[in-house]
């Protein structure tokens, strides 16, 4: 028969965590190994995202632990309450058993009480009082061998007593069985009532939580409506302020282009920047002439820079050629050195090979036997 391995909840959780880490690693690889979007230094955005995720996980774990603590406390309280109730029921049951023993199971009501009755000798009657004379005392000879005057009556009484004992045992067994069934039924009823009470308390608690959620939702809805109303009022007020500001700008001196509005008390050539409307024709001409002069000067500077760059490029090209020649010379010397090293290594390998053959043929001719190694490590020294 084939045995299939079923995945548990922990296996699914571990697999999901491994898959999530793998996806994060693949995303990070695509971001780091892409030269178009890779940045020098630390990926701050990804680190911030990781911090937010860890913070969210810590908050979620903390909330989960708080819920588990609340559930544990609630379960502990219910368990303590049920344990106390069960202890009280057990105590009442034992009290009832003790009362029953004191009332219905007294020593004098037992079948064999006459065997250890302390007043038994006082209750004994003369054995042969019916066959003999009642005037004889206890010390007189009253019973003789082979004499049995009350045999028939005694046998009858013994049979009746035996029947009475059997019926009494049957009644006691029936009563004990009935009491046992009644006790079990009472215990089962108590357990069922306890479970129903626990379920009722759980339903009441769930109803209270539902009502609290509904109340919180209504409060949040009311708060949101109030915030929306305030936002609309603020928008209306801002719109009115903007219209008033536009009207003030339109009717002000700045947009009406009054010449006197730019005059300043610091001098004629220092107008107010917030009210200045523009330059005159002479000022514009002087400004354009200065721009042309600056353009010519910039062109001269660019030509000189271009000439310097060309000279610098020629010098760098010559340096590059010299470096290339020097690099080729170094490569040639390196190749010769590697060839020389290879030849020396080959000679050393041949010497080592011949030396190893000499060792194996002459010095290591006699190998050690197992008895040589077994003589060591025989004591604590």
């Amino acid at each position: 028969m084939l045995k299939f391995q079923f995945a548990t909840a922990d296996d699914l959780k571990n697999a999901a965590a491994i898959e999530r880490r793998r996806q994060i690693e693949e995303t990070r690889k695509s971001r780091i190994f892409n030269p178009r979007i890779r940045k020098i230094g630390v990926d701050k955005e990804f680190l911030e995202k990781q911090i937010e995720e860890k913070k969210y996980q810590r908050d979620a774990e903390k909330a989960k632990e708080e819920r588990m603590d609340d559930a544990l406390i609630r379960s502990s309280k219910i368990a303590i309450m049920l344990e106390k109730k069960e202890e009280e029921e057990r105590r009442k049951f034992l009290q009832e058993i003790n009362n029953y023993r004191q009332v219905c199971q007294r020593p004098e009501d037992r079948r064999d009480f006459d065997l250890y009755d302390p007043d038994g000798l006082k209750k004994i009657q003369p054995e042969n009082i019916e066959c003999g004379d009642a005037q004889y005392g206890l010390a007189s000879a009253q019973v003789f061998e082979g004499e049995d005057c009350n045999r028939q009556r005694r046998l009858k009484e013994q049979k009746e007593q035996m029947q009475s004992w059997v019926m009494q045992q049957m009644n006691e067994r029936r009563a004990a069985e009935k009491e046992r069934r009644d006790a079990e039924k009472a215990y089962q009823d108590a357990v069922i009532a306890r479970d129903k009470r626990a379920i009722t308390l759980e339903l009441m608690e769930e109803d209270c939580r539902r009502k609290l959620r509904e109340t919180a939702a209504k409060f949040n809805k009311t708060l949101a409506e109030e915030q929306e109303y305030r936002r609309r009022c603020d928008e209306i007020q801002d719109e009115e302020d903007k219209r008033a500001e536009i009207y003030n700008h339109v009717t002000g001196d700045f947009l009406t282009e009054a010449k006197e509005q730019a005059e300043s008390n610091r001098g004629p050539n220092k107008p107010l920047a917030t009210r200045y409307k523009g330059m005159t024709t002479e000022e514009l001409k002087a400004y354009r002439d200065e721009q042309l002069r600056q353009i010519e000067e910039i062109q001269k500077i660019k030509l000189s820079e271009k000439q310097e760059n060309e000279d610098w490029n020629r010098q760098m090209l010559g340096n590059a050629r010299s470096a290339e020649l020097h690099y080729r010379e170094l490569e040639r010397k390196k190749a010769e050195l590697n060839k020389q090293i290879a030849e020396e290594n080959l000679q050393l390998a041949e010497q080592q090979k011949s030396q190893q053959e000499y060792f194996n043929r002459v010095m290591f001719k006699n190998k050690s036997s197992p008895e040589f190694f077994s003589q060591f490590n025989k004591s604590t020294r």
Side-chain angles (χ1 to χ4, degrees), residues 52-68:
E52 292 178 359
E53 290 179 355
K54 289 183 179 179
K55 183 178 179 182
Y56 176 77
Q57 290 178 359
R58 287 197 298 269
D59 295 339
E61 291 178 357
K62 184 178 180 182
K64 183 178 180 181
E65 290 178 357
E66 290 178 354
R67 290 196 299 269
M68 291 178 66

Side-chain angles (χ1 to χ4, degrees), residues 257-294:
E257 297 184 358
K259 295 181 179 180
E260 293 80 6
Q261 54 89 25
E263 293 180 356
S264 174
N265 55 4
R266 293 180 296 176
N269 295 326
K270 294 182 180 180
L272 296 175
T274 56
R275 298 182 181 181
Y276 185 66
K277 299 303 293 181
M279 295 184 293
T280 61
T281 305
E282 292 79 8
E283 292 176 347
L284 288 173
K285 185 177 182 301
Y287 177 75
R288 291 192 181 96
D289 294 339
E290 182 64 23
Q291 280 185 338
L292 293 173
R293 188 187 65 78
Q294 291 179 356

Side-chain angles (χ1 to χ4, degrees), residues 299-315:
Q299 289 178 353
K300 292 179 181 179
I301 293 172
K302 287 182 178 179
L303 289 174
S304 62
E305 290 179 353
K306 183 179 180 182
Q307 186 65 32
E308 290 178 358
N309 290 331
E310 290 177 355
D311 296 339
W312 180 256
N313 290 331
R314 285 193 298 270
Q315 184 177 359

Side-chain angles (χ1 to χ4, degrees), residues 95-151:
Q95 184 66 32
E96 291 176 358
I97 291 174
N98 292 329
N99 294 333
Y100 176 78
R101 289 173 178 173
Q102 293 176 3
V103 174
C104 300
Q105 294 182 348
R106 296 178 300 175
E108 57 269 19
D109 294 336
R110 296 179 181 177
R111 183 178 60 186
D112 52 355
F113 177 69
D114 57 339
L115 299 177
Y116 53 87
D117 187 5
D119 298 331
L121 295 176
K122 298 178 181 180
K123 299 177 182 178
I124 295 176
Q125 297 293 332
E127 296 183 4
N128 202 17
I129 192 172
E130 294 182 357
C131 295
D133 193 351
Q135 64 182 354
Y136 295 110
L138 297 176
S140 301
Q142 297 181 8
V143 179
F144 298 96
E145 184 177 0
E147 185 179 12
D148 191 1
C149 298
N150 299 323
R151 183 175 181 278

